[in-house]
Amino acid sequence: MGFDRKTVIVLGLTPQGLSVIRTLARGGCNVYAFGTSKKNVGYYSRYGIKKIFHSVEELKSLMQGLLENFSDKPLCYITSGEILASVLAEYPELYKMCDVISGDYETVSMLAHKDKMYDWAVGRGLDVAEYVTLDRFMPTGEFPVFLKRNYEIPLFFKALKINSLQDFNAVVDKIPKELMKDVMVQTYIDIPRENLMEISAQFFFSQGIAQGGLVAHQKHKLRKGLTSYLVELNDSQLVARISELSAHFMDGLNYTGFAEFEYMYDTRNARLFFLEVNTRTCGTQSALSFKFENLDAVMLNPYSPPELISRKKKIRWMNIQRDIRARIEACDFSDLFAVFKSSFDIFDLRDMKPFIRQII
């Protein structure tokens, strides 16, 4: 008995994992999905066989039980940043047991550390704000600065703007000394809100070549950074510039799989800052399934993919519950009719339980 390319393993049951499960299952795949909590929305999907694990050892046991009856390596998509970090640190043999669709272990491990990612980006000509890990940072009194995780570790924040030395010390006092190398301090990019465009550029790469992508303006976001509403960019020159920079970043990495590049664009001077790349599906993954009508075929044939077929309609994408929260946070109730123009993230009439459970 052996796996065929119609059997895929998905690690992560967060919204992006849910999107991958739906895409593959509707393409006729057998999907085995693993998550860390029954509270994850993907757990309640009607699609796929789901299992919950609470430690890497438990994941190893579940995977061994699944794989022992099969002779061929299955495709595997990792859709969670925290699971990816755990696999890189404690389960590298997964890359030999499965055909993990991303870069090789060494490449993904390097890019999982933002300081190494930025070193690589600077070497490829991308514009990056000055950065240093917290264990090497010497406060000079120049604030604000941006504090964020250098590596996907469990911490009480994902990213914070720090406005003063007093605030900085108060936050740092809560961080264990052994984790300071895993926290990044970065110069704050000061762009007025009216001139700021936050951009997500999602691509699927096959052996280092971008097969297609979606470059979009993240119009609404929660304070903690999660996108709630995005609109596909129609500025062809800016899209071409971002696509070229993202492709140049991947030169020499032989990368296969999904990757999301995040940028900040200053409309005053057309300056484009590189923020990070996620070497996995990202939180707006379901937008890609609306952009391309044959995404499942590409995912099942990652090394010799068919040409992606793009839908002509401009993509507007929304996570309904998150967008309500983002609007309340920002006191922004403009363009309320956007909900009638958008494709939705978790909300799906063919698979309603995840949306209902999310509300509960």
Side-chain angles (χ1 to χ4, degrees):
M1 184 179 181
F3 274 111
D4 57 26
R5 285 313 200 194
K6 287 288 187 178
T7 300
V8 182
I9 293 172
V10 176
L11 298 186
L13 292 174
T14 47
Q16 54 265 46
L18 172 62
S19 174
V20 169
I21 292 167
R22 285 171 170 170
T23 298
L24 292 171
R26 288 168 179 170
C29 286
N30 301 313
V31 181
Y32 293 85
F34 299 83
T36 57
S37 172
K38 290 183 179 181
K39 293 182 180 180
N40 295 151
V41 291
Y43 181 78
Y44 296 97
S45 174
R46 59 184 286 228
Y47 302 108
I49 298 170
K50 276 85 67 177
K51 299 287 184 182
I52 299 299
F53 65 93
H54 302 96
S55 67
V56 174
E57 290 305 314
E58 193 172 351
L59 174 62
K60 290 180 181 180
S61 177
L62 289 169
M63 289 291 291
Q64 184 177 356
L66 175 62
L67 296 175
E68 64 184 5
N69 295 320
F70 297 86
S71 57
D72 301 325
K73 294 200 299 185
L75 295 174
C76 176
Y77 284 92
I78 300 177
T79 67
S80 158
E82 290 190 0
I83 292 178
L84 175 59
S86 296
V87 167
L88 292 173
E90 304 176 60
Y91 196 12
E93 58 268 30
L94 179 70
Y95 281 76
K96 296 180 180 178
M97 299 166 61
C98 297
D99 190 358
V100 181
I101 304 304
S102 67
D104 57 41
Y105 173 80
E106 288 75 18
T107 295
V108 176
S109 184
M110 181 267 286
L111 295 177
H113 294 79
K114 286 186 173 61
D115 56 343
K116 296 178 182 178
M117 175 206 304
Y118 288 151
D119 290 346
W120 180 269
V122 169
R124 296 293 178 284
L126 280 74
D127 199 349
V128 179
E130 292 184 16
Y131 56 95
V132 66
T133 52
L134 182 57
D135 59 321
R136 297 167 49 210
F137 178 66
M138 299 294 292
T140 61
E142 294 184 12
F143 288 89
V145 296
F146 209 62
L147 211 62
K148 57 187 176 183
R149 289 178 287 187
N150 185 45
Y151 190 68
E152 200 76 33
I153 54 170
L155 207 55
F156 61 93
F157 68 91
K158 181 176 181 181
L160 288 174
K161 179 186 176 184
I162 308 293
N163 292 306
S164 67
L165 182 60
Q166 181 179 0
D167 291 345
F168 176 83
N169 290 333
V171 172
V172 171
D173 285 345
K174 300 177 185 177
I175 302 173
K177 284 186 168 48
E178 65 273 14
L179 294 183
M180 288 192 177
K181 68 182 185 307
D182 296 321
V183 178
M184 169 80 65
V185 185
Q186 196 164 23
T187 300
Y188 183 73
I189 302 172
D190 191 11
I191 304 175
R193 174 54 57 180
E194 63 270 19
N195 301 113
L196 171 64
M197 186 180 291
E198 295 179 271
I199 295 172
S200 165
Q202 299 179 64
F203 299 95
F204 190 92
F205 290 88
S206 179
Q207 300 179 83
I209 306 299
Q211 302 302 300
L214 171 64
V215 181
H217 177 194
Q218 298 165 304
K219 295 200 73 169
H220 298 162
K221 298 177 77 172
L222 291 172
R223 285 179 189 149
K224 62 181 181 179
L226 297 175
T227 304
S228 67
Y229 176 53
L230 60 77
V231 178
E232 185 174 6
L233 284 181
N234 55 14
D235 183 334
S236 58
Q237 289 187 332
L238 181 56
V239 169
R241 180 181 170 192
I242 290 170
S243 299
E244 183 178 352
L245 282 171
S246 302
H248 190 44
F249 180 97
M250 286 297 188
D251 283 349
L253 295 180
N254 197 36
Y255 187 92
T256 294
F258 291 105
E260 182 210 25
F261 294 80
E262 292 192 73
Y263 297 92
M264 290 177 68
Y265 181 66
D266 190 336
T267 60
R268 296 171 300 179
N269 52 25
R271 191 171 180 184
L272 191 66
F273 292 93
F274 169 74
L275 298 183
E276 66 177 348
V277 60
N278 292 306
T279 53
R280 53 177 175 82
T281 58
C282 69
T284 59
Q285 169 69 21
S286 56
L288 275 184
S289 66
F290 298 115
K291 171 71 174 176
F292 300 108
E293 63 183 60
N294 63 334
L295 188 62
D296 60 314
V298 172
M299 294 175 68
L300 288 172
N301 300 278
Y303 302 110
S304 54
E307 183 178 352
L308 277 166
I309 301 171
S310 178
R311 294 185 171 95
K312 294 181 180 179
K313 185 179 179 180
K314 179 180 179 180
I315 297 298
R316 295 176 182 270
W317 173 98
M318 180 181 292
N319 181 301
I320 298 174
Q321 186 191 54
R322 197 183 295 165
D323 200 56
I324 292 171
R325 292 165 54 203
R327 285 176 175 275
I328 291 172
E329 283 184 357
C331 295
D332 178 4
F333 302 102
S334 61
D335 192 21
L336 292 177
F337 287 102
V339 70
F340 299 109
K341 308 172 190 175
S342 300
S343 302
F344 300 120
D345 185 20
I346 297 169
F347 180 82
D348 188 320
L349 289 174
R350 293 178 289 172
D351 189 26
M352 282 294 293
K353 197 170 181 181
F355 182 76
I356 294 169
R357 292 293 305 195
Q358 178 194 35
I359 295 172
I360 294 173

